[in-house]
Amino acid sequence: MSKRFAVLFCATAMPAFGVPAIARTVATDASQSAADDAADDGLPEVIVTARRRAEDAQRVPAALSVVGGDLIDRSYTVNTQGLTTLIPTLNYSSANPRNTAFTIRGLGSSVVAVSQANDGLEPGVGFYVDQVYHARPATAAFDFADIEQVEELRGPPGTLFGKNTTAGALNITTRAPTFTREGFAELSYGDYNFVQAKGWASGPITDTIAYRISGVSTRRDGVLDNVRTGRDANTIGTQAVRG
């Protein structure tokens, strides 16, 4: 296992960003009375968009798991592969960035069925980022940056999320701009010259307009030696920017 060391930087003019987040698994036949009982017990409210609108997870009549962005940052969950350790029912396999696939509770489309045998086959688990559907799960091979929360919706939510959700859906929400100036930066180093830099900044432009920009860059030497060409294989080199 690679050893990684993370160094955090926060500008003094931009206080470190902290968003209260909860990682919970909610499997319920949620009713109004159950939600009221939970409120009486003083449980924190977790807002989800499992039904295309913001509401308390206790009121959603479906099996779902919610992982907050704060836990994703603290657990150093840098990509979807790492997310599988926080959501036991989720499995992610990737032979390469094109051959990727999700399964939920063992259901979905395997890598062989989706990519290697026929690129035209649709996945069985929908992948959504800010309510936008990503038809090819290869987009999930990139590293996370500035995530608010991740929702895993188990079961076929096809009425709300379309036909490609026979096993469920992954609904990822990124952090929204804020009117309070804040920023964050992180640099990590590991084996095989692994280097990852990521950060984000947010603040007001006017009284009614705010901005947010985030980015992540990851590189690593190959872990396989090609004896014929003398070059490393299976290297990593990805960059992403969002504004």
Side-chain angles (χ1 to χ4, degrees), residues 215-236:
V216 57
S217 177
T218 307
R219 62 115 20 233
R220 189 204 64 195
D221 293 341
V223 297
L224 302 174
D225 293 328
N226 188 322
V227 296
R228 189 180 70 84
T229 64
R231 296 181 178 180
D232 292 341
N234 200 27
T235 60
I236 294 178

Side-chain angles (χ1 to χ4, degrees), residues 116-200:
Q116 296 175 351
N118 190 335
D119 278 336
L121 295 180
E122 296 288 350
V125 176
F127 186 78
Y128 293 80
V129 178
D130 292 331
Q131 303 295 324
V132 176
Y133 175 61
H134 288 230
R136 306 308 301 170
T139 56
F142 294 99
D143 292 331
F144 289 150
D146 210 10
I147 299 297
E148 175 67 27
Q149 70 179 20
V150 177
E151 304 166 21
E152 182 215 43
L153 313 177
R154 297 187 290 277
T159 302
L160 296 171
F161 286 89
K163 68 182 180 67
N164 300 317
T165 56
T166 53
L170 271 183
N171 188 25
I172 297 178
T173 304
T174 58
R175 292 184 175 119
T178 64
F179 286 93
T180 301
R181 292 189 181 279
E182 55 196 18
F184 173 85
E186 179 182 276
L187 179 65
S188 303
Y189 178 80
D191 293 344
Y192 298 98
N193 291 321
F194 172 90
V195 177
Q196 182 182 72
K198 62 181 179 179
W200 58 81

Side-chain angles (χ1 to χ4, degrees), residues 47-70:
I47 302 300
V48 299
T49 56
R51 294 194 288 183
R52 296 288 193 177
R53 63 177 183 268
E55 58 184 334
D56 185 8
Q58 292 287 346
R59 300 179 183 272
V60 178
L64 59 93
S65 297
V66 183
V67 180
D70 187 53

Side-chain angles (χ1 to χ4, degrees), residues 38-99:
D40 294 338
D41 293 338
L43 294 177
E45 185 179 49
V46 176
I47 302 300
V48 299
T49 56
R51 294 194 288 183
R52 296 288 193 177
R53 63 177 183 268
E55 58 184 334
D56 185 8
Q58 292 287 346
R59 300 179 183 272
V60 178
L64 59 93
S65 297
V66 183
V67 180
D70 187 53
L71 178 60
I72 290 175
D73 294 337
R74 288 188 289 106
S75 61
Y76 200 75
T77 303
V78 298
N79 50 38
T80 313
Q81 178 65 49
L83 191 63
T84 60
T85 63
L86 303 179
I87 305 178
T89 55
L90 177 67
N91 182 69
Y92 172 74
S93 56
S94 176
N96 55 62
R98 186 179 67 88
N99 294 1

